[in-house]
Amino acid sequence: MAVIETVQGPIAPEALGFTLIHEHVMCDLVGARETGSHRWVRDQVVATMAPHLHALRERGVTGFIDCSPACLGRDPLILLRLSLLTGLHILTNTGLYKEPYLPQEVFSLSAQVLADRWITEWREGIDGTGIRPGLIKIAVNPGRLLPVQAKIVRAAAMAHQATGLLVVAHTGDSVAARESLDIIEEEGMDPSRYVIVHADQILEPEVHVELAERGVWLEFDAIGTLPIEEHVELVRRMLEWGFEDQLLLSQDAGWFHVGEPDGGAVRPYTTIVDAFIPRLRDAGADDNLIYKLFVQNPRDALAVG
Ligand SMILES: [Zn+2]
């Protein structure tokens, strides 16, 4: 039976509901060398972020994917507390990002060793918490892939083959998107289990078509940082091309900024419900389409097994 793995444990995919697939509760941008849980106070992060998550529950959102990877502010215990407080289904991730968020040892470890570590997190939980990841989050550098990033993509494909977890890859441009997808295909991984994150940063529409035709998910996740109309137009084009089954939408919003007074300026998570969906409806979207984009697609992408 398929499940979706939340920080509170597995749920039936049907229970996930209306979902924001790419957001952040906390980020620590200091780099892999210095980051660690000594840098934040869990009570303070929970108290700061809980009202923002409650605001989602009030709006009928029930699923929330935290995309802060290891060495960039991932703290499953904070996510668990926020999930218990708010009733949101929250997912965390395994995987690794890119420089300067890579521990030095990653440069000399093999893809298989990295994959084995992520598989162990899936089987046993993260850092002794028992909290298991619900997806694999990685990143690629812009342009031609650096060897270490190519290795991380390969490790993600290996970890996917062993776990079934969705792989989501921070991607800045078309060259990186194509090369990472080449590796996914070489490893024999089904591209329909791979997400090109920040696809709205790829400005060539023909590349959206090219990537979607290769079978990946395209994630437009900067909603609220550009004029809303631009995202309405991106969605309209994907529908026109017939790729409604490969489209994921989110805001990349939040977050508690570790190292800034009181967590700095948090960007609210409410733009999609309060501004984007009304505008999408004005442009002709009906309940079925809203359900498809924010319930069915995230559920299909995240379900494992
Ligand atoms: Zn993000």
Side-chain angles (χ1 to χ4, degrees), residues 191-237:
S192 75
R193 306 298 293 140
Y194 189 67
V195 181
I196 304 286
V197 172
H198 310 319
D200 38 11
Q201 289 180 19
I202 298 174
L203 301 178
E204 313 95 305
E206 65 276 15
V207 177
H208 291 156
V209 175
E210 173 195 325
L211 294 169
E213 282 178 343
R214 290 173 74 177
V216 295
W217 293 93
L218 295 186
E219 182 180 285
F220 301 140
D221 48 30
I223 293 174
T225 66
L226 304 171
I228 292 287
E229 295 308 319
E230 293 188 25
H231 278 103
V232 171
E233 175 61 13
L234 280 169
V235 171
R236 191 195 63 73
R237 283 202 307 238

Side-chain angles (χ1 to χ4, degrees), residues 97-253:
Y97 202 66
K98 60 186 170 95
E99 279 282 72
Y101 307 104
L102 298 177
Q104 196 55 39
E105 61 170 4
V106 169
F107 289 86
S108 54
L109 295 173
S110 70
Q112 187 64 61
V113 168
L114 292 176
D116 287 345
R117 289 184 180 186
W118 304 343
I119 294 163
T120 300
E121 287 197 341
W122 163 248
R123 293 196 175 133
E124 298 172 13
I126 297 167
D127 298 338
T129 62
I131 297 169
R132 299 168 70 203
L135 65 161
I136 299 167
K137 167 79 189 282
I138 59 169
V140 290
N141 59 288
R144 302 295 310 272
L145 296 196
L146 298 168
V148 70
Q149 300 305 145
K151 179 169 71 180
I152 285 171
V153 175
R154 202 170 296 283
M158 292 170 171
H160 163 81
Q161 304 284 32
T163 63
L165 289 171
L166 182 71
V167 178
V168 313
H170 165 108
T171 307
D173 65 22
S174 54
V175 174
R178 285 193 190 103
E179 278 200 25
S180 68
L181 189 47
D182 290 345
I183 295 170
I184 291 299
E185 290 172 349
E186 269 169 43
E187 289 295 320
M189 175 177 161
D190 179 352
S192 75
R193 306 298 293 140
Y194 189 67
V195 181
I196 304 286
V197 172
H198 310 319
D200 38 11
Q201 289 180 19
I202 298 174
L203 301 178
E204 313 95 305
E206 65 276 15
V207 177
H208 291 156
V209 175
E210 173 195 325
L211 294 169
E213 282 178 343
R214 290 173 74 177
V216 295
W217 293 93
L218 295 186
E219 182 180 285
F220 301 140
D221 48 30
I223 293 174
T225 66
L226 304 171
I228 292 287
E229 295 308 319
E230 293 188 25
H231 278 103
V232 171
E233 175 61 13
L234 280 169
V235 171
R236 191 195 63 73
R237 283 202 307 238
M238 284 288 282
L239 299 177
E240 188 179 285
W241 294 325
F243 296 128
E244 66 272 13
D245 294 339
Q246 293 166 253
L247 178 55
L248 296 168
L249 301 170
S250 209
Q251 305 160 137
D252 207 5

